[in-house]
Amino acid sequence: MKAVQVTGPHNLNIVEKDKPVITAKEEVLIKVKMVGICGSDIHIYHGTNPLATLPRVIGHEVTGEVEAIGEGVEGLSVGDKVVIEPIESCGHCYACRTGRGNVCSNLEVYGVHRDGGMQEYMVMPQKLVHKVNGDLDWKESVLIEPFTIGAQANWRGDVQNGDTVFIMGAGPIGLCCLKVAKSKGATVIISDLNESRLEFAKEWGADYTIHASRSNVTEELMEITKQEGANVVIDAVCLPQTFEQAIEVASVAGRVVVLGFDERPSQIKQLPITKKEVTITGSRLQTNQFPGVIGMFNEQSFDTTGMVTQIFQLEQIHEAIQLIETSPQEVMKVVISFEK
Ligand SMILES: [Zn+2]
Ligand SMILES: [Zn+2]
């Protein structure tokens, strides 16, 4: 079978691998149908993901069909449409003991520390395989994993019905955060530098959009919120300055959700944090968000049209990456299809 493997910086190839087989009774063999390309896959390709070990089959946004099940597997049948939960935790460390396996000290992520989904078949433990509504299109179910990231950010920010949520950045993660926040009954303000992304965010339910270079973001946000500020700020731009701004525009008793990997320091004053009693919280991957997100997707009314902007065949992986890198304004989510 074919797999997309990174062996070193800028060295990504389609390789031939043995088709995996079920070796334990709780395992599931999945025929992969579609895999989304994420920023972190691109970082592995460039050699700028310090966590990744090589050689590695990339891809963690995976949907497919059950091809075979081990004798101990319950609740899944051959032919079921599924998504994979791409993280494995140890079960013993403090994070695991407190139900936060996503920040396990011994965390292993499929597509980063273990081979991921950009291959024709995968064998996964049943606990990491989730069944979805058979009526979903592959280009819908492939978005479930990125939506769990949005759901996690909303959970970490404790987004409540009636809250005003400010999302910085209208890329795929910002848009997933937006849809989840709207489903919780929040008013959502979203900012970006790209006009077409802001227009798209409006179609996806944003109540207000702010063009981050054409206007003074802080002033505009304060005006929209009648000087209250945002109850929850989700920073999906992740620059040192956006973190600083997030604290500034958070309301009293507000929450700031950090998703970035930038190692450069931000200049954060203590006073606004203490005075407003702002909670600053990190959000990484997800914990137990798959069932809720799958529930949203399984509703006929949940519409993700427009998020998948290009579908490439496995053989076109280089073209797909090139498009993402050279024409970022034309792409939202690019996916690789394993269907001929
Ligand atoms: Zn991702
Ligand atoms: Zn652990």
Side-chain angles (χ1 to χ4, degrees):
M1 66 159 190
K2 290 185 169 55
V4 174
Q5 192 184 55
V6 175
T7 48
H10 304 108
N11 205 340
L12 174 147
N13 297 295
I14 297 172
V15 297
E16 201 59 46
K17 279 185 66 184
D18 289 341
K19 182 176 167 181
V21 290
I22 291 174
T23 54
K25 56 184 196 319
E26 289 84 21
E27 285 179 340
V28 182
L29 175 67
I30 299 160
K31 187 174 182 10
V32 174
K33 295 289 188 175
M34 207 171 260
V35 180
I37 303 179
C38 177
S40 65
D41 296 311
I42 302 283
H43 282 302
I44 297 173
Y45 168 63
H46 284 302
T48 50
N49 183 329
L51 303 173
T53 45
L54 304 177
R56 182 65 53 233
V57 174
I58 56 172
H60 56 269
E61 303 177 359
V62 189
T63 185
E65 200 175 276
V66 175
E67 171 112 338
I69 53 172
E71 57 191 41
V73 171
E74 278 169 30
L76 280 176
S77 321
V78 172
D80 280 349
K81 198 167 271 197
V82 294
V83 291
I84 73 145
E85 179 167 354
I87 61 174
E88 190 79 69
S89 47
C90 75
H92 309 295
C93 71
Y94 179 70
C96 286
R97 294 199 310 273
T98 49
R100 307 265 294 276
N102 58 317
V103 286
C104 170
S105 345
N106 308 296
L107 183 73
E108 296 209 359
V109 180
Y110 288 85
V112 182
H113 311 86
R114 294 181 181 204
D115 279 346
M118 226 176 263
Q119 51 186 334
E120 289 177 277
Y121 294 90
M122 280 183 98
V123 166
M124 293 292 292
Q126 161 164 30
K127 63 173 189 200
L128 299 178
V129 181
H130 300 275
K131 183 176 169 170
V132 303
N133 188 338
D135 296 335
L136 288 177
D137 233 50
W138 297 120
K139 66 174 197 282
E140 294 175 292
S141 54
V142 76
L143 295 174
I144 288 173
E145 194 279 341
F147 262 86
T148 63
I149 309 302
Q152 182 80 3
N154 274 266
W155 174 65
R156 297 292 290 149
D158 193 24
V159 173
Q160 300 291 329
N161 184 19
D163 280 350
T164 301
V165 177
F166 176 40
I167 299 168
M168 296 166 145
I173 293 301
L175 290 168
C176 292
C177 291
L178 159 67
K179 267 261 191 240
V180 176
K182 287 307 297 176
S183 77
K184 290 180 181 294
T187 297
V188 179
I189 306 161
I190 193 162
S191 67
D192 203 280
L193 292 167
N194 182 317
E195 189 66 56
S196 59
R197 284 195 167 185
L198 289 175
E199 270 164 39
F200 187 71
K202 267 236 144 110
E203 283 170 35
W204 262 43
D207 298 282
Y208 302 90
T209 59
I210 300 178
H211 194 290
S213 69
R214 283 188 212 143
S215 45
N216 180 319
V217 175
T218 302
E219 268 174 28
E220 202 161 323
L221 187 116
M222 289 319 239
E223 197 178 303
I224 293 168
T225 60
K226 302 191 169 62
Q227 307 306 315
E228 183 176 78
N231 308 128
V232 182
V233 184
I234 300 175
D235 180 4
V237 174
C238 312
L239 292 171
Q241 307 86 282
T242 51
F243 183 27
E244 291 161 12
Q245 189 164 42
I247 309 276
E248 196 183 333
V249 301
S251 72
V252 286
R255 285 84 73 197
V256 171
V257 182
V258 179
L259 292 155
F261 285 87
D262 204 314
E263 294 194 89
R264 292 171 292 173
S266 303
Q267 302 231 325
I268 305 282
K269 293 180 223 121
Q270 294 174 38
L271 180 64
I273 300 172
T274 310
K275 193 174 152 199
K276 299 190 284 190
E277 234 179 29
V278 172
T279 302
I280 301 169
T281 172
S283 185
R284 183 180 179 201
L285 305 164
Q286 57 77 37
T287 6
N288 304 323
Q289 300 293 345
F290 272 84
V293 170
I294 289 168
M296 287 168 69
F297 272 74
N298 284 349
E299 298 272 328
Q300 294 290 320
S301 57
F302 192 70
D303 186 10
T304 57
T305 310
M307 172 73 98
V308 172
T309 41
Q310 288 88 9
I311 301 175
F312 287 91
Q313 292 293 306
L314 175 66
E315 294 73 23
Q316 298 171 300
I317 179 68
H318 289 100
E319 273 170 71
I321 291 176
Q322 192 179 16
L323 180 76
I324 295 170
E325 308 225 274
T326 56
S327 312
Q329 68 290 350
E330 283 172 35
V331 306
M332 191 65 79
K333 181 57 77 182
V334 178
V335 300
I336 297 293
S337 169
F338 288 74
E339 296 240 273
K340 293 286 170 243

